[in-house]
Amino acid sequence: MPPAGIWIDGLVQSSTYITMAFGMVLVFSILGILNWTHGQYYMLGAVIVYYGVTAAGVPFPISMLVTGLIIAGLGMLVKKVIIDRVSGDLYVGAVTLALIFFFEGLASMLFGMQDKGLANVMPGSMDFGSFSVSYQKIAVVGFTLVVMIAMYIVLNRTKVGLSIRAAAQEPRAASLYGVRVDRVSLIVMGIGCALAAWAGCIMGPVYSINPFIGRIPMIFSLLAIVIGGLGSLSGAIIGGLILGFLNSVMAYYISYYSEVVLFALVIILLLVRPQGLFGAALK
Amino acid sequence: MRKWHGITAVLVVIATVLGIVASACAGGGEKAAPPVATGPIIYKMGCPTPLSGPAAPWGQAGHDFYQKWIQLFNQAGGFKVGDTTYNVTFTEVDDENTPEGGAAAAKQLIYGDGCQAIVAYWSWGMPAVQAVTTPAKIPLLTRTGNEAVPMSEGGIYDPAKYPYTVFANPSHEQIISDFKAIAKAYPGRMIGIADSTLGKGPGWDVVDRTLDAAGIKYHHEWYTPAATDYTPYITKFKEAGCGVIYTAGDIGASFNIAKQRWDMGYKDIVCGVAGPCVDPSVYNAVVGYDASQGFIDQYFGIWDYKDTKIDPAIMAMAKQVNDDVAKDTGAPVVYTGWIGWMPSHMLILTQAMTKAGSTDPDAIMKAIQGGTFSTSTGTYTMSGAKTYGSPIVFGTPGALSQIKGDKEVYLSESPWTPLP
């Protein structure tokens, strides 16, 4: 049995993937695209919150809130100006792939490539005897819980949520009932990008920050939603938990072979259940 | 629509032809111009180095220092080949830290910029760069690593195939010296060696054998290149009883390991990286002020060396470079890593040319083999025939510093010894 610290680590990793995956699921549900740039919104979130805290002196929570709003606006702008003008899933995919390098290059030029850090935000740790957990990691788990609850409330208890669910399930019927699907998809893009940015913000104090930090979280959150089932928020939670725990526990037992086993398990899962654990059966 | 396709195609062809003609004219112009002996002859050196991508901070870190060093070296008279005085230039081209980028950059430097030697090359792609420099008979001064382990030792390196390669920074000898310096500073502590699977290779077998022979206790953990969370590996190091975790070269990983071990409550474990410190304030910001205290780096502040002798003139010039760069940038210099690379390689090369009395690559290589050279990290006689199958391996001491406050201070040192 791995030590408790490994399980807690798995929970922290899962939390990041879940927050990221929520945004991807939302965008996929409404826009029908995988937003490959999701990891770069994560990176931009971390970079902007870094400057908010260190250069502007804005307290971390406020800086984080503002960063989410900025990235939400950026995501909406990208949708309006670029994605909406490109037709065909393949071309939209190519555009969002190109944006990965655009945003990384832009961040490199504007912010530099040297690692930056927010280690001094929420310093200290909670002691559990044989191990301790930093307040930063506790904040990551706490924030993910808040996001999960907020998402549940927004989607199930608000008009916007109802519109989003309607647009996701039957966009034409929804529009006949007065739902402005184009506006809903714009809002969803904004929420999705903001979630990625907030994941980047909350992870900023945990890891180092540079223009390339978005790539791995993007891959793992994509895997989380593939495991859970594209378009399923509960699937994203389960997928994120499976990935986070497997990654941590297997790295403890089998070191660098962990990723080989992890990705082999994902492939086997998809062979057995192509729609993922909670997705609708594929045609 | 078809008309536009046709017009586009014609425009592309015209642009291509014009480009070829223009570059041919430019090249032809250079060739046609006779050399005018108005001053020292210029010997051009170049380096493929990461100027973009994740490794760029280390590629960019040395730039100002290298150019200032070259300026001072030339002002001091450059170097002599017979009665002729030479000055040097140093050009860096982005290689994105990839083999294909390294090969492309080497081609650009050799065939585009006319460089006569590649020096200070440390990126990820030595075999690809060697494939460019060797047929062009361009001396390549680089580091060792897994790529330099000979076939007889389970590696891929064949010294007979690459007669113009000089291992001016022996990575494995240096890291062994680092471990000896760590053992000196922290006697009795088991050393945890953390490296990415990208670094896994026969070179580590050589290191392990040497550490075993020296009686240094160690424990390896290999993490995946994509890792950002090192909790499982740190847990394993702790369980193995490691009192030090030394990361082999990956500074980003070393940041995260140092921070995460602190967060996990393992505050007694000292962390470090087999690379020079770029800026202690970055460590304080990324790792956290408390967690970064005592962090170990390779140290090239040669004026603080106690066991390795450096030519005082070289030391003075290195200090002057630091002072000048500090004046130019308006900030105190906190990076000393530059001293162990380009200046060291350039000194080997220029001294070899002076000894050979020629700039001919074959004459240079003959002078380098078996020769003794005074570099910015000490004076060394070529060795390595038994280990790399090549007699052209230089030395670098394992000198370490530690972060104290927001400064890098000398910790300990183990002078270079050739691999057994």
Side-chain angles (χ1 to χ4, degrees):
Chain A
M1 192 74 168
I6 296 293
W7 294 104
I8 290 172
D9 179 56
L11 184 63
V12 174
Q13 289 199 53
S14 301
S15 300
T16 322
Y17 304 150
I18 289 168
T19 309
M20 287 276 288
F22 272 174
M24 286 192 88
V25 167
L26 276 179
V27 172
F28 179 80
S29 301
I30 304 293
L31 275 72
I33 59 160
L34 283 171
N35 183 10
W36 297 107
T37 324
H38 210 62
Q40 283 56 52
Y41 294 120
Y42 169 97
M43 173 272 291
L44 287 171
V47 168
I48 293 172
V49 84
Y50 167 80
Y51 280 101
V53 171
T54 59
V58 179
F60 182 74
I62 297 168
S63 191
M64 191 170 155
L65 183 72
V66 173
T67 300
L69 296 175
I70 291 170
I71 299 299
L74 178 66
M76 290 158 92
L77 189 71
V78 166
K79 184 186 176 298
K80 265 286 193 204
V81 176
I82 302 172
I83 293 175
D84 284 355
R85 290 161 195 251
V86 178
S87 57
D89 289 351
L90 180 67
Y91 296 105
V92 170
V95 161
T96 58
L97 276 174
L99 283 170
I100 290 175
F101 300 99
F102 172 77
F103 282 131
E104 285 184 351
L106 192 68
S108 300
M109 282 195 296
L110 294 178
F111 310 121
M113 283 173 273
Q114 190 131 317
D115 279 321
K116 295 172 179 61
L118 287 170
N120 299 320
V121 170
M122 290 182 283
S125 53
M126 199 175 274
D127 192 15
F128 291 94
S130 61
F131 69 98
S132 57
V133 182
S134 68
Y135 294 129
Q136 295 163 349
K137 287 190 172 179
I138 292 169
V140 171
V141 178
F143 178 74
T144 304
L145 282 172
V146 169
V147 168
M148 282 161 63
I149 294 165
M151 290 289 287
Y152 178 83
I153 293 170
V154 168
L155 289 175
N156 295 289
R157 297 276 186 274
T158 66
K159 271 191 170 180
V160 174
L162 185 66
S163 303
I164 291 172
R165 283 188 293 140
Q169 284 167 21
E170 205 53 71
R172 287 187 69 186
S175 64
L176 289 173
Y177 279 91
V179 175
R180 289 184 58 184
V181 176
D182 56 342
R183 182 183 274 186
V184 168
S185 65
L186 196 63
I187 291 169
V188 162
M189 183 73 178
I191 295 173
C193 294
L195 285 172
W198 280 325
C201 292
I202 200 73
M203 293 307 288
V206 179
Y207 300 139
S208 50
I209 301 167
N210 64 53
F212 310 98
I213 56 168
R215 295 179 182 187
I216 301 301
M218 158 69 204
I219 292 169
F220 276 91
S221 58
L222 176 64
L223 282 178
I225 65 170
V226 169
I227 291 171
L230 286 168
S232 164
L233 286 175
S234 47
I237 297 172
I238 300 298
L241 285 170
I242 289 173
L243 269 181
F245 282 111
L246 275 181
N247 207 13
S248 198
V249 171
M250 284 199 304
Y252 174 75
Y253 278 121
I254 54 174
S255 188
Y256 59 92
Y257 292 115
S258 60
E259 282 183 4
V260 177
V261 176
L262 185 68
F263 289 109
L265 285 174
V266 171
I267 292 166
I268 291 166
L269 175 76
L270 293 179
L271 285 172
V272 176
R273 206 175 152 76
Q275 70 273 35
L277 293 173
F278 292 86
L282 297 174
K283 285 173 187 169
Chain B
M1 196 67 171
R2 288 186 102 179
K3 191 176 99 183
W4 283 108
H5 286 176
I7 291 169
T8 309
V10 168
L11 286 174
V12 168
V13 170
I14 290 170
T16 309
V17 170
L18 282 175
I20 291 168
V21 170
S23 59
C25 290
E30 272 173 24
K31 275 175 195 162
V36 183
T38 53
I41 298 173
I42 301 298
Y43 186 86
K44 293 182 176 178
M45 300 183 305
C47 178
T49 197
L51 299 175
S52 65
W58 294 272
Q60 294 169 345
H63 177 79
D64 292 348
F65 301 95
Y66 292 160
Q67 293 307 326
K68 188 60 77 178
W69 173 274
I70 294 285
Q71 189 188 326
L72 292 184
F73 181 82
N74 290 337
Q75 277 171 8
F79 69 101
K80 287 261 186 196
V81 176
D83 293 331
T84 311
T85 301
Y86 281 79
N87 277 0
V88 290
T89 60
F90 181 66
T91 309
E92 292 154 285
V93 171
D94 187 14
D95 70 356
E96 297 168 346
N97 202 25
T98 62
E100 57 274 21
K107 283 178 189 165
Q108 162 68 32
L109 287 163
I110 296 166
Y111 301 110
D113 300 326
C115 287
Q116 294 150 281
I118 301 290
V119 301
Y121 176 67
W122 56 266
S123 309
W124 195 260
M126 192 177 78
V129 172
Q130 274 187 145
V132 177
T133 53
T134 305
K137 288 193 171 188
I138 296 290
L140 167 67
L141 281 79
T142 180
R143 58 170 173 79
T144 60
N146 286 321
E147 309 96 316
V149 176
M151 289 188 278
S152 58
E153 295 285 329
I156 54 163
Y157 180 65
D158 180 357
K161 276 174 73 178
Y162 304 107
Y164 301 99
T165 301
V166 178
F167 296 126
N169 278 72
S171 313
H172 291 126
E173 282 93 336
Q174 188 178 5
I175 205 163
I176 289 165
S177 297
D178 286 358
F179 290 131
K180 287 178 180 170
I182 291 170
K184 201 190 269 185
Y186 295 99
R189 286 206 186 192
M190 180 180 283
I191 301 170
I193 305 173
D195 197 2
S196 135
T197 46
L198 289 175
K200 203 168 175 1
W204 276 110
D205 299 337
V206 178
V207 174
D208 290 354
R209 280 200 301 272
T210 315
L211 294 180
D212 288 338
I216 293 173
K217 291 184 290 175
Y218 61 92
H219 171 82
H220 275 288
E221 282 295 331
W222 303 98
Y223 54 84
T224 58
T228 47
D229 189 282
Y230 298 88
T231 305
Y233 309 103
I234 297 166
T235 306
K236 298 278 284 279
F237 280 128
K238 180 70 179 171
E239 286 175 354
C242 295
V244 178
I245 300 176
Y246 198 60
T247 308
D250 182 349
I251 203 154
S254 73
F255 283 157
N256 285 321
I257 288 172
K259 181 176 189 313
Q260 288 165 27
R261 72 85 165 80
W262 191 263
D263 291 345
M264 290 166 74
Y266 303 149
K267 298 179 181 178
D268 55 330
I269 297 179
V270 175
C271 289
V273 65
C277 177
V278 175
D279 183 351
S281 68
V282 174
Y283 293 67
N284 289 341
V286 176
V287 179
Y289 187 85
D290 293 334
S292 68
Q293 297 304 301
F295 189 93
I296 300 170
D297 288 286
Q298 287 177 342
Y299 185 53
F300 292 92
I302 49 180
W303 39 85
D304 288 333
Y305 283 11
K306 292 173 175 58
D307 303 325
T308 309
K309 296 277 171 280
I310 314 283
D311 178 347
I314 293 173
M315 208 162 2
M317 200 160 116
K319 267 187 174 170
Q320 183 66 50
V321 169
N322 270 8
D323 291 348
D324 288 357
V325 170
K327 214 162 113 185
D328 291 350
T329 57
V333 166
V334 287
Y335 175 63
T336 59
W338 66 274
I339 296 169
W341 284 88
M342 195 281 280
S344 181
H345 296 197
M346 194 208 76
L347 288 165
I348 294 167
L349 195 63
T350 52
Q351 286 168 31
M353 286 188 274
T354 302
K355 281 183 186 190
S358 169
T359 57
D360 173 66
D362 290 310
I364 294 171
M365 297 311 294
K366 206 173 161 190
I368 285 179
Q369 291 181 22
T372 300
F373 296 88
S374 175
T375 79
S376 53
T377 55
T379 300
Y380 300 102
T381 303
M382 302 307 94
S383 62
K386 286 181 189 168
T387 47
Y388 296 94
S390 164
I392 43 179
V393 180
F394 280 81
T396 300
L400 303 174
S401 64
Q402 215 165 30
I403 292 179
K404 284 204 172 151
D406 53 2
K407 286 197 168 63
E408 185 191 19
V409 296
Y410 175 91
L411 173 69
S412 63
E413 185 183 345
S414 176
W416 177 81
T417 46
L419 284 173

